[in-house]
PDB file of all heavy atoms in Angstrom:
ATOM      1  N   ILE S  29     106.942 124.975  63.048  1.00 96.00           N
ATOM      2  CA  ILE S  29     107.768 124.846  61.854  1.00 96.00           C
ATOM      3  C   ILE S  29     106.874 124.242  60.781  1.00 96.00           C
ATOM      4  O   ILE S  29     106.431 123.102  60.902  1.00 96.00           O
ATOM      5  CB  ILE S  29     108.993 123.939  62.110  1.00 96.00           C
ATOM      6  CG1 ILE S  29     109.929 124.583  63.137  1.00 96.00           C
ATOM      7  CG2 ILE S  29     109.744 123.667  60.808  1.00 96.00           C
ATOM      8  CD1 ILE S  29     111.093 123.698  63.554  1.00 96.00           C
ATOM      9  N   ASN S  30     106.583 125.008  59.742  1.00 96.00           N
ATOM     10  CA  ASN S  30     105.696 124.521  58.686  1.00 96.00           C
ATOM     11  C   ASN S  30     106.381 123.492  57.788  1.00 96.00           C
ATOM     12  O   ASN S  30     105.731 122.583  57.275  1.00 96.00           O
ATOM     13  CB  ASN S  30     105.178 125.686  57.848  1.00 96.00           C
ATOM     14  CG  ASN S  30     104.219 126.568  58.630  1.00 96.00           C
ATOM     15  OD1 ASN S  30     103.486 126.097  59.494  1.00 96.00           O
ATOM     16  ND2 ASN S  30     104.226 127.864  58.331  1.00 96.00           N
ATOM     17  N   ASP S  31     107.673 123.658  57.592  1.00 96.00           N
ATOM     18  CA  ASP S  31     108.439 122.713  56.776  1.00 96.00           C
ATOM     19  C   ASP S  31     109.897 122.801  57.205  1.00 96.00           C
ATOM     20  O   ASP S  31     110.557 123.814  56.973  1.00 96.00           O
ATOM     21  CB  ASP S  31     108.296 123.034  55.286  1.00 96.00           C
ATOM     22  CG  ASP S  31     108.924 121.970  54.390  1.00 96.00           C
ATOM     23  OD1 ASP S  31     109.687 121.124  54.902  1.00 96.00           O
ATOM     24  OD2 ASP S  31     108.641 121.981  53.180  1.00 96.00           O
ATOM     25  N   SER S  32     110.398 121.743  57.831  1.00 94.00           N
ATOM     26  CA  SER S  32     111.759 121.766  58.367  1.00 94.00           C
ATOM     27  C   SER S  32     112.817 121.856  57.271  1.00 94.00           C
ATOM     28  O   SER S  32     113.961 122.243  57.537  1.00 94.00           O
ATOM     29  CB  SER S  32     112.004 120.510  59.213  1.00 94.00           C
ATOM     30  OG  SER S  32     111.879 119.337  58.425  1.00 94.00           O
ATOM     31  N   GLN S  33     112.443 121.515  56.043  1.00 93.00           N
ATOM     32  CA  GLN S  33     113.406 121.584  54.950  1.00 93.00           C
ATOM     33  C   GLN S  33     113.510 122.993  54.367  1.00 93.00           C
ATOM     34  O   GLN S  33     114.386 123.272  53.553  1.00 93.00           O
ATOM     35  CB  GLN S  33     113.023 120.581  53.853  1.00 93.00           C
ATOM     36  CG  GLN S  33     113.092 119.143  54.330  1.00 93.00           C
ATOM     37  CD  GLN S  33     112.793 118.146  53.219  1.00 93.00           C
ATOM     38  OE1 GLN S  33     112.735 118.500  52.044  1.00 93.00           O
ATOM     39  NE2 GLN S  33     112.611 116.881  53.589  1.00 93.00           N
ATOM     40  N   VAL S  34     112.611 123.875  54.805  1.00 93.00           N
ATOM     41  CA  VAL S  34     112.619 125.261  54.332  1.00 93.00           C
ATOM     42  C   VAL S  34     112.923 126.242  55.471  1.00 93.00           C
ATOM     43  O   VAL S  34     113.638 127.223  55.280  1.00 93.00           O
ATOM     44  CB  VAL S  34     111.264 125.619  53.683  1.00 93.00           C
ATOM     45  CG1 VAL S  34     111.233 127.085  53.282  1.00 93.00           C
ATOM     46  CG2 VAL S  34     110.995 124.723  52.487  1.00 93.00           C
ATOM     47  N   GLU S  35     112.392 125.947  56.655  1.00 91.00           N
ATOM     48  CA  GLU S  35     112.541 126.826  57.817  1.00 91.00           C
ATOM     49  C   GLU S  35     114.015 127.063  58.156  1.00 91.00           C
ATOM     50  O   GLU S  35     114.809 126.127  58.215  1.00 91.00           O
ATOM     51  CB  GLU S  35     111.822 126.210  59.016  1.00 91.00           C
ATOM     52  CG  GLU S  35     112.002 126.952  60.327  1.00 91.00           C
ATOM     53  CD  GLU S  35     111.361 128.317  60.328  1.00 91.00           C
ATOM     54  OE1 GLU S  35     110.190 128.419  59.885  1.00 91.00           O
ATOM     55  OE2 GLU S  35     112.026 129.268  60.764  1.00 91.00           O
ATOM     56  N   GLN S  36     114.347 128.323  58.396  1.00 88.00           N
ATOM     57  CA  GLN S  36     115.716 128.696  58.739  1.00 88.00           C
ATOM     58  C   GLN S  36     115.862 129.136  60.196  1.00 88.00           C
ATOM     59  O   GLN S  36     116.946 129.016  60.780  1.00 88.00           O
ATOM     60  CB  GLN S  36     116.186 129.839  57.822  1.00 88.00           C
ATOM     61  CG  GLN S  36     116.229 129.477  56.349  1.00 88.00           C
ATOM     62  CD  GLN S  36     117.230 128.382  56.046  1.00 88.00           C
ATOM     63  OE1 GLN S  36     118.350 128.388  56.555  1.00 88.00           O
ATOM     64  NE2 GLN S  36     116.829 127.421  55.220  1.00 88.00           N
ATOM     65  N   ARG S  37     114.785 129.647  60.808  1.00 91.00           N
ATOM     66  CA  ARG S  37     114.883 130.182  62.173  1.00 91.00           C
ATOM     67  C   ARG S  37     114.982 129.084  63.223  1.00 91.00           C
ATOM     68  O   ARG S  37     115.795 129.157  64.140  1.00 91.00           O
ATOM     69  CB  ARG S  37     113.667 131.055  62.490  1.00 91.00           C
ATOM     70  CG  ARG S  37     113.498 132.301  61.664  1.00 91.00           C
ATOM     71  CD  ARG S  37     112.261 133.064  62.123  1.00 91.00           C
ATOM     72  NE  ARG S  37     111.083 132.201  62.188  1.00 91.00           N
ATOM     73  CZ  ARG S  37     110.442 131.860  63.293  1.00 91.00           C
ATOM     74  NH1 ARG S  37     110.862 132.306  64.465  1.00 91.00           N
ATOM     75  NH2 ARG S  37     109.377 131.083  63.251  1.00 91.00           N
ATOM     76  N   LEU S  38     114.106 128.083  63.099  1.00 94.00           N
ATOM     77  CA  LEU S  38     114.026 127.017  64.094  1.00 94.00           C
ATOM     78  C   LEU S  38     114.233 125.660  63.435  1.00 94.00           C
ATOM     79  O   LEU S  38     114.066 125.522  62.220  1.00 94.00           O
ATOM     80  CB  LEU S  38     112.657 127.038  64.792  1.00 94.00           C
ATOM     81  CG  LEU S  38     112.252 128.330  65.500  1.00 94.00           C
ATOM     82  CD1 LEU S  38     110.820 128.219  66.016  1.00 94.00           C
ATOM     83  CD2 LEU S  38     113.206 128.658  66.641  1.00 94.00           C
ATOM     84  N   HIS S  39     114.585 124.677  64.246  1.00 94.00           N
ATOM     85  CA  HIS S  39     114.765 123.327  63.707  1.00 94.00           C
ATOM     86  C   HIS S  39     114.113 122.289  64.613  1.00 94.00           C
ATOM     87  O   HIS S  39     113.963 122.502  65.824  1.00 94.00           O
ATOM     88  CB  HIS S  39     116.250 123.006  63.507  1.00 94.00           C
ATOM     89  CG  HIS S  39     117.051 122.997  64.781  1.00 94.00           C
ATOM     90  ND1 HIS S  39     117.046 121.934  65.666  1.00 94.00           N
ATOM     91  CD2 HIS S  39     117.887 123.917  65.324  1.00 94.00           C
ATOM     92  CE1 HIS S  39     117.838 122.192  66.685  1.00 94.00           C
ATOM     93  NE2 HIS S  39     118.356 123.397  66.514  1.00 94.00           N
ATOM     94  N   LEU S  40     113.731 121.182  64.024  1.00 94.00           N
ATOM     95  CA  LEU S  40     113.207 120.052  64.784  1.00 94.00           C
ATOM     96  C   LEU S  40     114.366 119.304  65.415  1.00 94.00           C
ATOM     97  O   LEU S  40     115.523 119.453  65.010  1.00 94.00           O
ATOM     98  CB  LEU S  40     112.421 119.109  63.870  1.00 94.00           C
ATOM     99  CG  LEU S  40     111.161 119.665  63.204  1.00 94.00           C
ATOM    100  CD1 LEU S  40     110.570 118.634  62.249  1.00 94.00           C
ATOM    101  CD2 LEU S  40     110.125 120.065  64.251  1.00 94.00           C
ATOM    102  N   SER S  41     114.063 118.473  66.399  1.00 92.00           N
ATOM    103  CA  SER S  41     115.108 117.686  67.049  1.00 92.00           C
ATOM    104  C   SER S  41     115.653 116.657  66.063  1.00 92.00           C
ATOM    105  O   SER S  41     114.960 116.243  65.123  1.00 92.00           O
ATOM    106  CB  SER S  41     114.538 116.960  68.272  1.00 92.00           C
ATOM    107  OG  SER S  41     113.610 115.963  67.867  1.00 92.00           O
ATOM    108  N   PRO S  42     116.922 116.224  66.237  1.00 91.00           N
ATOM    109  CA  PRO S  42     117.488 115.203  65.350  1.00 91.00           C
ATOM    110  C   PRO S  42     116.646 113.927  65.299  1.00 91.00           C
ATOM    111  O   PRO S  42     116.523 113.305  64.234  1.00 91.00           O
ATOM    112  CB  PRO S  42     118.866 114.943  65.975  1.00 91.00           C
ATOM    113  CG  PRO S  42     119.217 116.233  66.646  1.00 91.00           C
ATOM    114  CD  PRO S  42     117.926 116.740  67.197  1.00 91.00           C
ATOM    115  N   LEU S  43     116.051 113.541  66.417  1.00 91.00           N
ATOM    116  CA  LEU S  43     115.231 112.334  66.439  1.00 91.00           C
ATOM    117  C   LEU S  43     113.993 112.508  65.563  1.00 91.00           C
ATOM    118  O   LEU S  43     113.574 111.581  64.868  1.00 91.00           O
ATOM    119  CB  LEU S  43     114.821 112.007  67.878  1.00 91.00           C
ATOM    120  CG  LEU S  43     114.211 110.621  68.112  1.00 91.00           C
ATOM    121  CD1 LEU S  43     115.182 109.532  67.699  1.00 91.00           C
ATOM    122  CD2 LEU S  43     113.826 110.453  69.579  1.00 91.00           C
ATOM    123  N   ALA S  44     113.404 113.709  65.588  1.00 93.00           N
ATOM    124  CA  ALA S  44     112.237 113.979  64.753  1.00 93.00           C
ATOM    125  C   ALA S  44     112.612 113.942  63.279  1.00 93.00           C
ATOM    126  O   ALA S  44     111.870 113.398  62.446  1.00 93.00           O
ATOM    127  CB  ALA S  44     111.637 115.335  65.114  1.00 93.00           C
ATOM    128  N   VAL S  45     113.755 114.515  62.955  1.00 92.00           N
ATOM    129  CA  VAL S  45     114.220 114.513  61.560  1.00 92.00           C
ATOM    130  C   VAL S  45     114.483 113.086  61.104  1.00 92.00           C
ATOM    131  O   VAL S  45     114.085 112.683  59.999  1.00 92.00           O
ATOM    132  CB  VAL S  45     115.480 115.381  61.406  1.00 92.00           C
ATOM    133  CG1 VAL S  45     116.046 115.256  59.997  1.00 92.00           C
ATOM    134  CG2 VAL S  45     115.168 116.841  61.713  1.00 92.00           C
ATOM    135  N   ASP S  46     115.140 112.292  61.942  1.00 93.00           N
ATOM    136  CA  ASP S  46     115.433 110.894  61.599  1.00 93.00           C
ATOM    137  C   ASP S  46     114.158 110.082  61.405  1.00 93.00           C
ATOM    138  O   ASP S  46     114.150 109.106  60.649  1.00 93.00           O
ATOM    139  CB  ASP S  46     116.286 110.245  62.688  1.00 93.00           C
ATOM    140  CG  ASP S  46     117.702 110.815  62.737  1.00 93.00           C
ATOM    141  OD1 ASP S  46     118.102 111.468  61.749  1.00 93.00           O
ATOM    142  OD2 ASP S  46     118.391 110.623  63.750  1.00 93.00           O
ATOM    143  N   ALA S  47     113.076 110.482  62.092  1.00 93.00           N
ATOM    144  CA  ALA S  47     111.799 109.780  61.979  1.00 93.00           C
ATOM    145  C   ALA S  47     111.015 110.221  60.744  1.00 93.00           C
ATOM    146  O   ALA S  47     109.907 109.729  60.502  1.00 93.00           O
ATOM    147  CB  ALA S  47     110.964 110.014  63.238  1.00 93.00           C
ATOM    148  N   GLY S  48     111.578 111.147  59.967  1.00 94.00           N
ATOM    149  CA  GLY S  48     110.916 111.600  58.752  1.00 94.00           C
ATOM    150  C   GLY S  48     109.848 112.648  58.971  1.00 94.00           C
ATOM    151  O   GLY S  48     109.020 112.899  58.092  1.00 94.00           O
ATOM    152  N   LEU S  49     109.857 113.315  60.133  1.00 95.00           N
ATOM    153  CA  LEU S  49     108.872 114.353  60.418  1.00 95.00           C
ATOM    154  C   LEU S  49     109.300 115.662  59.766  1.00 95.00           C
ATOM    155  O   LEU S  49     110.474 116.034  59.823  1.00 95.00           O
ATOM    156  CB  LEU S  49     108.702 114.520  61.925  1.00 95.00           C
ATOM    157  CG  LEU S  49     108.222 113.251  62.652  1.00 95.00           C
ATOM    158  CD1 LEU S  49     108.250 113.434  64.156  1.00 95.00           C
ATOM    159  CD2 LEU S  49     106.831 112.858  62.175  1.00 95.00           C
ATOM    160  N   ARG S  50     108.354 116.357  59.155  1.00 95.00           N
ATOM    161  CA  ARG S  50     108.672 117.568  58.399  1.00 95.00           C
ATOM    162  C   ARG S  50     108.207 118.847  59.074  1.00 95.00           C
ATOM    163  O   ARG S  50     108.756 119.925  58.830  1.00 95.00           O
ATOM    164  CB  ARG S  50     108.013 117.484  57.004  1.00 95.00           C
ATOM    165  CG  ARG S  50     108.655 116.512  56.045  1.00 95.00           C
ATOM    166  CD  ARG S  50     109.871 117.083  55.368  1.00 95.00           C
ATOM    167  NE  ARG S  50     109.589 118.239  54.533  1.00 95.00           N
ATOM    168  CZ  ARG S  50     109.221 118.168  53.252  1.00 95.00           C
ATOM    169  NH1 ARG S  50     109.052 116.990  52.680  1.00 95.00           N
ATOM    170  NH2 ARG S  50     109.029 119.272  52.552  1.00 95.00           N
ATOM    171  N   SER S  51     107.159 118.764  59.897  1.00 96.00           N
ATOM    172  CA  SER S  51     106.601 119.970  60.500  1.00 96.00           C
ATOM    173  C   SER S  51     106.207 119.695  61.940  1.00 96.00           C
ATOM    174  O   SER S  51     105.994 118.543  62.339  1.00 96.00           O
ATOM    175  CB  SER S  51     105.392 120.463  59.700  1.00 96.00           C
ATOM    176  OG  SER S  51     104.409 119.451  59.599  1.00 96.00           O
ATOM    177  N   GLY S  52     106.100 120.760  62.732  1.00 96.00           N
ATOM    178  CA  GLY S  52     105.749 120.596  64.134  1.00 96.00           C
ATOM    179  C   GLY S  52     105.195 121.867  64.751  1.00 96.00           C
ATOM    180  O   GLY S  52     105.550 122.976  64.333  1.00 96.00           O
ATOM    181  N   LEU S  53     104.309 121.684  65.707  1.00 97.00           N
ATOM    182  CA  LEU S  53     103.723 122.779  66.483  1.00 97.00           C
ATOM    183  C   LEU S  53     103.924 122.449  67.950  1.00 97.00           C
ATOM    184  O   LEU S  53     103.601 121.340  68.384  1.00 97.00           O
ATOM    185  CB  LEU S  53     102.235 122.913  66.167  1.00 97.00           C
ATOM    186  CG  LEU S  53     101.379 123.770  67.116  1.00 97.00           C
ATOM    187  CD1 LEU S  53     101.820 125.226  67.077  1.00 97.00           C
ATOM    188  CD2 LEU S  53      99.901 123.644  66.754  1.00 97.00           C
ATOM    189  N   ALA S  54     104.480 123.385  68.717  1.00 97.00           N
ATOM    190  CA  ALA S  54     104.749 123.148  70.131  1.00 97.00           C
ATOM    191  C   ALA S  54     104.206 124.290  70.976  1.00 97.00           C
ATOM    192  O   ALA S  54     104.254 125.455  70.558  1.00 97.00           O
ATOM    193  CB  ALA S  54     106.248 122.982  70.375  1.00 97.00           C
ATOM    194  N   VAL S  55     103.707 123.956  72.162  1.00 97.00           N
ATOM    195  CA  VAL S  55     103.166 124.965  73.078  1.00 97.00           C
ATOM    196  C   VAL S  55     103.683 124.684  74.487  1.00 97.00           C
ATOM    197  O   VAL S  55     104.020 123.550  74.822  1.00 97.00           O
ATOM    198  CB  VAL S  55     101.615 124.955  73.083  1.00 97.00           C
ATOM    199  CG1 VAL S  55     101.074 125.266  71.700  1.00 97.00           C
ATOM    200  CG2 VAL S  55     101.080 123.624  73.588  1.00 97.00           C
ATOM    201  N   PRO S  56     103.745 125.721  75.321  1.00 96.00           N
ATOM    202  CA  PRO S  56     104.215 125.524  76.700  1.00 96.00           C
ATOM    203  C   PRO S  56     103.140 124.895  77.573  1.00 96.00           C
ATOM    204  O   PRO S  56     101.946 125.099  77.355  1.00 96.00           O
ATOM    205  CB  PRO S  56     104.529 126.945  77.163  1.00 96.00           C
ATOM    206  CG  PRO S  56     103.572 127.797  76.381  1.00 96.00           C
ATOM    207  CD  PRO S  56     103.459 127.138  75.035  1.00 96.00           C
ATOM    208  N   MET S  57     103.566 124.126  78.559  1.00 95.00           N
ATOM    209  CA  MET S  57     102.689 123.629  79.616  1.00 95.00           C
ATOM    210  C   MET S  57     102.941 124.508  80.824  1.00 95.00           C
ATOM    211  O   MET S  57     104.034 124.489  81.398  1.00 95.00           O
ATOM    212  CB  MET S  57     102.991 122.163  79.929  1.00 95.00           C
ATOM    213  CG  MET S  57     102.694 121.219  78.779  1.00 95.00           C
ATOM    214  SD  MET S  57     103.273 119.530  79.115  1.00 95.00           S
ATOM    215  CE  MET S  57     102.299 119.120  80.575  1.00 95.00           C
ATOM    216  N   LEU S  58     101.952 125.308  81.180  1.00 92.00           N
ATOM    217  CA  LEU S  58     102.136 126.306  82.226  1.00 92.00           C
ATOM    218  C   LEU S  58     101.265 126.022  83.441  1.00 92.00           C
ATOM    219  O   LEU S  58     100.112 125.621  83.310  1.00 92.00           O
ATOM    220  CB  LEU S  58     101.802 127.702  81.694  1.00 92.00           C
ATOM    221  CG  LEU S  58     102.670 128.234  80.560  1.00 92.00           C
ATOM    222  CD1 LEU S  58     102.058 129.490  79.976  1.00 92.00           C
ATOM    223  CD2 LEU S  58     104.078 128.502  81.049  1.00 92.00           C
ATOM    224  N   VAL S  59     101.848 126.237  84.620  1.00 86.00           N
ATOM    225  CA  VAL S  59     101.095 126.262  85.870  1.00 86.00           C
ATOM    226  C   VAL S  59     101.395 127.616  86.485  1.00 86.00           C
ATOM    227  O   VAL S  59     102.490 127.850  86.990  1.00 86.00           O
ATOM    228  CB  VAL S  59     101.505 125.121  86.818  1.00 86.00           C
ATOM    229  CG1 VAL S  59     100.756 125.240  88.138  1.00 86.00           C
ATOM    230  CG2 VAL S  59     101.239 123.762  86.176  1.00 86.00           C
ATOM    231  N   GLY S  60     100.433 128.523  86.394  1.00 85.00           N
ATOM    232  CA  GLY S  60     100.712 129.896  86.767  1.00 85.00           C
ATOM    233  C   GLY S  60     101.692 130.484  85.762  1.00 85.00           C
ATOM    234  O   GLY S  60     101.476 130.399  84.551  1.00 85.00           O
ATOM    235  N   GLU S  61     102.792 131.034  86.242  1.00 86.00           N
ATOM    236  CA  GLU S  61     103.821 131.583  85.365  1.00 86.00           C
ATOM    237  C   GLU S  61     104.955 130.606  85.133  1.00 86.00           C
ATOM    238  O   GLU S  61     105.880 130.891  84.372  1.00 86.00           O
ATOM    239  CB  GLU S  61     104.382 132.887  85.969  1.00 86.00           C
ATOM    240  CG  GLU S  61     103.360 134.012  86.064  1.00 86.00           C
ATOM    241  CD  GLU S  61     102.833 134.402  84.705  1.00 86.00           C
ATOM    242  OE1 GLU S  61     103.649 134.516  83.771  1.00 86.00           O
ATOM    243  OE2 GLU S  61     101.606 134.597  84.571  1.00 86.00           O
ATOM    244  N   GLN S  62     104.885 129.443  85.781  1.00 87.00           N
ATOM    245  CA  GLN S  62     105.972 128.468  85.696  1.00 87.00           C
ATOM    246  C   GLN S  62     105.738 127.498  84.548  1.00 87.00           C
ATOM    247  O   GLN S  62     104.683 126.872  84.441  1.00 87.00           O
ATOM    248  CB  GLN S  62     106.078 127.678  87.008  1.00 87.00           C
ATOM    249  CG  GLN S  62     107.114 126.567  86.991  1.00 87.00           C
ATOM    250  CD  GLN S  62     108.518 127.123  86.949  1.00 87.00           C
ATOM    251  OE1 GLN S  62     108.865 128.003  87.740  1.00 87.00           O
ATOM    252  NE2 GLN S  62     109.339 126.608  86.040  1.00 87.00           N
ATOM    253  N   ILE S  63     106.732 127.359  83.662  1.00 90.00           N
ATOM    254  CA  ILE S  63     106.645 126.374  82.601  1.00 90.00           C
ATOM    255  C   ILE S  63     107.163 125.044  83.126  1.00 90.00           C
ATOM    256  O   ILE S  63     108.242 124.966  83.711  1.00 90.00           O
ATOM    257  CB  ILE S  63     107.422 126.818  81.342  1.00 90.00           C
ATOM    258  CG1 ILE S  63     107.220 125.803  80.214  1.00 90.00           C
ATOM    259  CG2 ILE S  63     108.895 127.059  81.644  1.00 90.00           C
ATOM    260  CD1 ILE S  63     107.701 126.303  78.859  1.00 90.00           C
ATOM    261  N   ILE S  64     106.367 124.002  82.962  1.00 91.00           N
ATOM    262  CA  ILE S  64     106.771 122.684  83.459  1.00 91.00           C
ATOM    263  C   ILE S  64     107.065 121.704  82.334  1.00 91.00           C
ATOM    264  O   ILE S  64     107.550 120.596  82.580  1.00 91.00           O
ATOM    265  CB  ILE S  64     105.694 122.084  84.387  1.00 91.00           C
ATOM    266  CG1 ILE S  64     104.420 121.773  83.595  1.00 91.00           C
ATOM    267  CG2 ILE S  64     105.421 122.995  85.571  1.00 91.00           C
ATOM    268  CD1 ILE S  64     103.429 120.914  84.374  1.00 91.00           C
ATOM    269  N   GLY S  65     106.793 122.105  81.098  1.00 94.00           N
ATOM    270  CA  GLY S  65     107.064 121.210  79.993  1.00 94.00           C
ATOM    271  C   GLY S  65     106.593 121.788  78.677  1.00 94.00           C
ATOM    272  O   GLY S  65     106.151 122.932  78.595  1.00 94.00           O
ATOM    273  N   VAL S  66     106.696 120.962  77.645  1.00 96.00           N
ATOM    274  CA  VAL S  66     106.301 121.349  76.295  1.00 96.00           C
ATOM    275  C   VAL S  66     105.484 120.219  75.684  1.00 96.00           C
ATOM    276  O   VAL S  66     105.839 119.044  75.803  1.00 96.00           O
ATOM    277  CB  VAL S  66     107.539 121.629  75.414  1.00 96.00           C
ATOM    278  CG1 VAL S  66     107.138 121.836  73.959  1.00 96.00           C
ATOM    279  CG2 VAL S  66     108.300 122.847  75.928  1.00 96.00           C
ATOM    280  N   LEU S  67     104.377 120.571  75.048  1.00 97.00           N
ATOM    281  CA  LEU S  67     103.542 119.615  74.325  1.00 97.00           C
ATOM    282  C   LEU S  67     103.672 119.929  72.840  1.00 97.00           C
ATOM    283  O   LEU S  67     103.478 121.079  72.429  1.00 97.00           O
ATOM    284  CB  LEU S  67     102.084 119.722  74.763  1.00 97.00           C
ATOM    285  CG  LEU S  67     101.086 118.752  74.117  1.00 97.00           C
ATOM    286  CD1 LEU S  67     101.412 117.310  74.488  1.00 97.00           C
ATOM    287  CD2 LEU S  67      99.659 119.102  74.531  1.00 97.00           C
ATOM    288  N   ALA S  68     104.026 118.927  72.031  1.00 97.00           N
ATOM    289  CA  ALA S  68     104.275 119.161  70.611  1.00 97.00           C
ATOM    290  C   ALA S  68     103.602 118.109  69.744  1.00 97.00           C
ATOM    291  O   ALA S  68     103.563 116.930  70.105  1.00 97.00           O
ATOM    292  CB  ALA S  68     105.777 119.175  70.331  1.00 97.00           C
ATOM    293  N   VAL S  69     103.073 118.541  68.617  1.00 97.00           N
ATOM    294  CA  VAL S  69     102.520 117.634  67.617  1.00 97.00           C
ATOM    295  C   VAL S  69     103.363 117.743  66.352  1.00 97.00           C
ATOM    296  O   VAL S  69     103.952 118.797  66.071  1.00 97.00           O
ATOM    297  CB  VAL S  69     101.042 117.932  67.297  1.00 97.00           C
ATOM    298  CG1 VAL S  69     100.148 117.536  68.459  1.00 97.00           C
ATOM    299  CG2 VAL S  69     100.839 119.408  66.952  1.00 97.00           C
TER     300      VAL S  69
END
């Protein structure tokens, strides 16, 4: 999400919004084909 105040498709979590965060990049944590989590900046 390049700018949460403009983006319409996806949204940041309420906690991220409350913390004043405007943008985010997230990727899957994969072991083989199994996703075990998400890493986000």
Side-chain angles (χ1 to χ4, degrees):
I29 295 174
N30 291 328
D31 188 346
S32 62
Q33 296 183 11
V34 176
E35 175 67 46
Q36 298 296 317
R37 296 181 309 113
L38 302 175
H39 63 79
L40 297 176
S41 68
L43 193 59
V45 174
D46 291 344
L49 300 173
R50 287 279 297 273
S51 57
L53 166 64
V55 299
M57 295 172 61
L58 297 169
V59 176
E61 295 299 316
Q62 176 69 49
I63 184 168
I64 67 168
V66 172
L67 182 64
V69 289

